[in-house]
Amino acid sequence: MKRYTLLLAILLIAVSFLFNSCRPPELEGAIVHLNAGRDDQAFELAQEAAKKYPDNAEAWYILGKIQGKRGLITEMVSSFDKSVAIAPTFQKDIELEKSSYFSKHYNDAVAAYNAFIKLEDREGEAAKKKLNEVIDNFNKALLIQPDYMA
């Protein structure tokens, strides 16, 4: 009888570990779609996972990752902040993602500015378009890293 009780206890512990370590199905689907390059499906499932499981740090992290890929920088920063507020589990990954997007937008802004100063007509539509590109990219970079001092 002791043997069966011990076996049952071990089985219950194993089952509880199995269920506690599983991701919600929406989140698992989002990750599978994201890894397969199906960003639209991944985005829908990640939004659903974050809404359905608002205390799941990984759901917010994956949603933020997809939002970054889609150029939704304000939303990305918000999702990443929610993830870190829940648990610091993905903090290093989030910092890496944010650094990558900061660098991209900062460098794009500098490149657009350099293109602007080479224009002869700085009052025309092409110049206005370049300046808007500079402003947009610098604004996105500052959303990601608001304390940056250049």
Side-chain angles (χ1 to χ4, degrees):
M1 187 69 168
K2 276 187 171 182
R3 183 180 255 172
Y4 290 114
T5 306
L6 181 61
L7 185 60
L8 183 61
I10 292 172
L11 183 62
L12 286 174
I13 291 170
V15 168
S16 76
F17 277 122
L18 179 67
F19 284 110
N20 286 334
S21 65
C22 288
R23 289 182 179 124
E26 297 85 359
L27 182 56
E28 185 65 37
I31 292 169
V32 168
H33 285 301
L34 180 63
N35 291 337
R38 295 184 296 267
D39 293 343
D40 291 338
Q41 294 94 329
F43 185 57
E44 287 177 24
L45 287 171
Q47 285 179 311
E48 189 177 332
K51 184 177 179 182
K52 197 170 181 180
Y53 308 98
D55 293 332
N56 187 315
E58 188 176 21
W60 288 108
Y61 165 64
I62 295 298
L63 179 59
K65 193 171 178 168
I66 296 167
Q67 288 166 330
K69 284 182 77 173
R70 295 181 129 219
L72 304 170
I73 301 303
T74 305
E75 294 85 348
M76 176 194 78
V77 170
S78 175
S79 294
F80 283 165
D81 288 347
K82 288 176 185 176
S83 177
V84 172
I86 294 166
T89 311
F90 302 98
Q91 188 163 4
K92 289 188 189 257
D93 296 320
I94 287 170
E95 288 172 10
L96 186 63
E97 289 275 333
K98 286 171 101 174
S99 292
S100 173
Y101 282 107
F102 173 81
S103 298
K104 178 204 177 307
H105 290 292
Y106 185 86
N107 290 335
D108 287 351
V110 170
Y113 180 75
N114 287 335
F116 168 76
I117 60 175
K118 291 178 183 174
L119 293 174
E120 291 196 25
D121 177 18
R122 293 193 183 156
E123 302 294 323
E125 284 302 312
K128 289 178 185 177
K129 186 176 177 184
K130 272 297 165 200
L131 275 180
N132 284 332
E133 189 178 334
V134 170
I135 292 167
D136 182 52
N137 279 302
F138 273 134
N139 281 335
K140 287 179 180 177
L142 288 173
L143 281 171
I144 296 165
Q145 193 173 335
D147 58 346
Y148 181 74
M149 301 285 276

